[in-house]
Amino acid sequence: MIALNKPSGLQVLPGGLFQQRTVLTQLLWWAAKLSSSLRCNKPHPTPVHRLGRGTSGLLLCAKTKIAKTKLATYFADGTSHLGGISKANSELGISRKILKIYRALVTGIVCDDKVNVSQPIGIVQYPGVAKGLYVASPSGKPALSKVEVLERDTEKNCTLVQVEIQSGRPHQIRIHLAFIGHPLLGDPLYVVGGGPQRSDSEYLDENFALDGGFLRPTKPVPGDCGYSLHAHKVTLSHPTTNEVIIISAPLPPNLRTRKEVQER
């Protein structure tokens, strides 16, 4: 496996406006350079899950076929089994092989210390997004996020939260936090309710393209940055030894609690 600390602004896989400046192309370049220096069979490292372009933090990649298969199964199982959330400590539940913890800064003051969000997530047509935009939708697929307040800032009217996700729907954390009335601070796309700021007619655009041949959209799209979301910690079973591994990515300054800042 390879665990990367992805910076905000870097896309994981080629698509849309970003074909070359991606994590995958950099991994392939690294692998080609490594294999030429070691004179060994060329490895094929590949990301096994995605992070949004504006999301920073831990990204897991597989170096072998067996690792890719097992890690992909871990992520798929987490999405298909939404029976409950296991403890975020050194032990994983029997039915859970991977646990993902994020940090986020949201608008407004979240009143409850803990909130479970189980709003389904579906797809609607949206200008500039050929395959459709993921939004909060009663007819969508199941999704589960566990939100815990870490710190409230009444002066700046924002809240620092930790989010544990069991499922892995695209843009799930952005959508779920917006759905409960607290969009990510600086999110250019998702607003209160879990959808984009738009008029109803935009959902029914008859010129909606299916080939992805868009120029730079005039409206906000999922790949736009500006929000603070960081994949902070992953706990998983090693794909071959089953050893429980905990990996963490350093927190950006604006996503640390006051106590964490002082400890540094």
Side-chain angles (χ1 to χ4, degrees):
M1 296 184 298
I2 303 173
L4 303 177
N5 186 10
K6 185 186 88 68
S8 174
L10 179 63
Q11 185 147 314
V12 175
L13 298 177
L17 303 172
F18 304 92
Q19 298 296 327
Q20 297 298 325
R21 299 174 183 177
T22 67
V23 172
L24 179 60
T25 54
Q26 292 192 40
L27 277 173
L28 294 177
W29 173 83
W30 168 83
K33 184 177 179 181
L34 181 65
S35 61
S36 62
S37 63
L38 297 179
R39 296 181 180 179
C40 59
N41 293 330
K42 184 177 179 180
H44 294 278
T46 181
V48 293
H49 65 112
R50 296 193 189 192
L51 294 178
R53 192 171 77 89
T55 304
S56 60
L58 272 173
L59 178 71
L60 294 180
C61 307
K63 295 167 65 177
T64 65
K65 290 183 178 180
I66 187 171
K68 179 181 179 181
T69 300
K70 288 204 171 184
L71 290 172
T73 300
Y74 292 174
F75 282 98
D77 286 347
T79 300
S80 60
H81 297 95
L82 297 179
I85 299 179
S86 60
K87 296 180 180 179
N89 55 27
S90 61
E91 294 184 358
L92 293 177
I94 295 176
S95 62
R96 299 289 306 283
K97 291 290 187 178
I98 193 162
L99 180 69
K100 298 162 285 181
I101 301 291
Y102 289 72
R103 284 281 182 98
L105 194 62
V106 303
T107 58
I109 303 301
V110 180
C111 297
D112 295 330
D113 290 339
K114 295 183 179 181
V115 182
N116 286 343
V117 188
S118 57
Q119 172 65 27
I121 294 175
I123 302 177
V124 296
Q125 294 184 356
Y126 181 79
V129 184
K131 295 182 179 179
L133 179 69
Y134 288 89
V135 298
S137 171
S139 60
K141 294 182 178 180
L144 181 61
S145 302
K146 181 181 179 182
V147 182
E148 181 177 350
V149 171
L150 298 179
E151 202 166 77
R152 299 178 177 90
D153 190 333
T154 54
E155 291 185 3
K156 296 181 180 179
N157 192 35
C158 60
T159 305
L160 180 64
V161 298
Q162 173 178 288
V163 185
E164 175 189 331
I165 60 172
Q166 179 167 346
S167 51
R169 307 298 177 196
H171 314 299
Q172 175 175 321
I173 293 176
R174 297 171 67 185
I175 294 169
H176 273 178
L177 290 170
F179 177 76
I180 63 173
H182 298 281
L184 292 183
L185 189 66
D187 194 326
L189 178 62
Y190 292 104
V191 297
V192 173
Q197 188 171 4
R198 48 82 189 174
S199 63
D200 290 338
S201 62
E202 290 176 353
Y203 272 67
L204 303 174
D205 185 359
E206 296 299 330
N207 295 319
F208 179 76
L210 297 177
D211 61 1
F214 288 100
L215 298 175
R216 177 68 181 87
T218 57
K219 296 182 179 297
V221 293
D224 291 341
C225 303
Y227 54 88
S228 295
L229 179 61
H230 183 75
H232 175 42
K233 186 179 294 185
V234 174
T235 305
L236 74 154
S237 295
H238 190 281
T240 56
T241 67
N242 286 325
E243 175 189 0
V244 175
I245 300 174
I246 301 175
I247 311 170
S248 61
L251 291 164
N254 66 328
L255 293 179
R256 298 174 191 154
T257 63
R258 294 184 184 92
K259 182 179 179 181
E260 288 169 338
V261 171
Q262 293 173 354
E263 290 175 347
R264 290 180 67 88

